[in-house]
Amino acid sequence: MRSVLALSVLLLLALGGCNKTWAPVEDHSIARGSYQVGSDGLYRVKRGDSLHAIAFNYGLDWRDIARWNGIGAPYVIHPDQELRLIPPQAKAAVTTRAAGPAPSARERAADLPTEPPKVETVAGQAAPKPVKQAPPPTSKPASQGKSVVSTADPSKWLWPTRGRILSTFKAGDPARNGIEIAGEEGQAIVAGAAGEVVYSGSGLIGYGELIIIKHSDRLLSAYAHNRKRLVAEGQAVSAGEKIAEMGRDDRNRTMLHFEIRSNGSPQDPQKFLPKQ
């Protein structure tokens, strides 16, 4: 009897200890990990960051970030460098915001002016000449003479892997910024179009081993949850070239998460890809 009682007590203690380890399920579709922006709209660069990865993480156009921070070709950033992720003219709106949680990327976007500010003039004085805006930066085309795709013509895109579609794109839903394709672990992941690898790493929480390819100044494609990455940043790839091996996502599903973004905004990949 005593042994049964003792065993019951031990089981209760063990269950109580297990409860302490439970944690809420994280929504990795919107997780930012250590990608934190202060209330002043500044982001501090970490080792391993790239301009394209930061822009991808916040749904911004990398060219805007470069312009707002005066970064020119070859668009190199450094650890501990502070980057402005909002236009300079939006600074006042951010710094005068009441104390509270830092605004999200969507909230910051709502602060952006939709029209140029009006210029007030004093009687008898000429209105000041408008300041010319610097043209958006352009990047060097992919090296080794490989072409860069700049249109949404389906004939110029290939499916990144074969398999059943698990989830389709839905505009405005951060959890469905792309499509998810089921398959077998280790099967080939290929570049959807020719371009240059601008990110190859695992620094963006919720994407696992991630590859981002730039196809033009405005078009990017992303390949997430790989088991193994086979290309490095700065490498030129051709359409259909193997870039990774399929892996598993946070829910242990064997799949590829595939995105296409235009000017930083997620697009429906199936509008770019040929019909199967």
Side-chain angles (χ1 to χ4, degrees):
M1 183 66 180
R2 290 181 179 178
S3 60
V4 173
L5 180 60
L7 179 59
S8 299
V9 172
L10 288 174
L11 287 173
L12 287 172
L13 290 173
L15 288 172
C18 290
N19 287 338
K20 294 179 182 179
T21 63
W22 292 356
V25 176
E26 294 181 319
D27 182 1
H28 289 297
S29 65
I30 57 174
R32 297 304 181 193
S34 55
Y35 280 74
Q36 299 296 328
V37 176
S39 58
D40 55 0
L42 296 178
Y43 169 76
R44 187 177 295 276
V45 177
K46 307 187 311 299
R47 187 174 299 279
D49 281 348
S50 73
L51 197 61
H52 290 85
I54 295 170
F56 183 89
N57 195 68
Y58 286 102
L60 298 171
D61 189 330
W62 68 273
R63 296 170 298 176
D64 288 337
I65 299 179
R67 183 169 59 252
W68 298 337
N69 293 276
I71 301 173
Y75 309 109
V76 177
I77 57 177
H78 306 280
D80 293 326
Q81 179 180 355
E82 287 190 331
L83 295 180
R84 181 184 301 282
L85 298 189
I86 57 174
Q89 62 267 31
K91 181 178 180 181
V94 174
T95 55
T96 57
R97 186 187 298 270
S104 66
R106 293 185 183 278
E107 291 172 333
R108 289 194 302 274
D111 288 334
L112 305 187
T114 56
E115 297 181 357
K118 296 180 180 179
V119 179
E120 296 184 359
T121 60
V122 179
Q125 295 184 6
K129 295 182 179 180
V131 178
K132 292 183 179 180
Q133 295 293 327
T138 56
S139 58
K140 295 182 294 184
S143 56
Q144 302 178 11
K146 296 185 178 180
S147 60
V148 176
V149 175
S150 60
T151 71
D153 183 355
S155 67
K156 291 179 165 54
W157 286 82
L158 301 173
W159 281 82
T161 195
R162 54 179 174 79
R164 178 172 58 91
I165 295 180
L166 299 174
S167 177
T168 56
F169 173 86
K170 183 178 181 181
D173 185 347
R176 296 171 63 179
N177 279 342
I179 60 175
E180 295 177 347
I181 306 172
E184 298 179 359
E185 190 165 0
Q187 80 179 47
I189 305 298
V190 304
E196 179 184 0
V197 179
V198 292
Y199 182 78
S200 180
S202 57
L204 276 69
I205 302 300
Y207 287 93
E209 299 291 340
L210 172 68
I211 294 170
I212 300 176
I213 297 176
K214 180 176 72 174
H215 306 288
S216 71
D217 278 346
R218 67 181 185 88
L219 278 178
L220 300 174
S221 62
Y223 312 74
H225 303 303
N226 301 296
R227 182 178 75 174
K228 184 177 182 181
R229 292 175 283 109
L230 304 176
V231 291
E233 291 177 17
Q235 181 176 338
V237 295
S238 56
E241 182 175 340
K242 185 176 179 180
I243 59 173
E245 295 177 357
M246 182 178 289
R248 295 175 179 269
D249 71 352
D250 304 7
R251 290 183 281 177
N252 204 34
R253 298 179 302 168
T254 305
M255 48 84 78
L256 168 72
H257 176 81
F258 177 65
E259 293 187 23
I260 293 178
R261 297 198 182 189
S262 176
N263 298 328
S265 177
Q267 306 294 313
D268 185 355
Q270 290 184 277
K271 292 183 177 180
F272 288 71
L273 299 170
K275 293 184 178 180
Q276 295 197 90

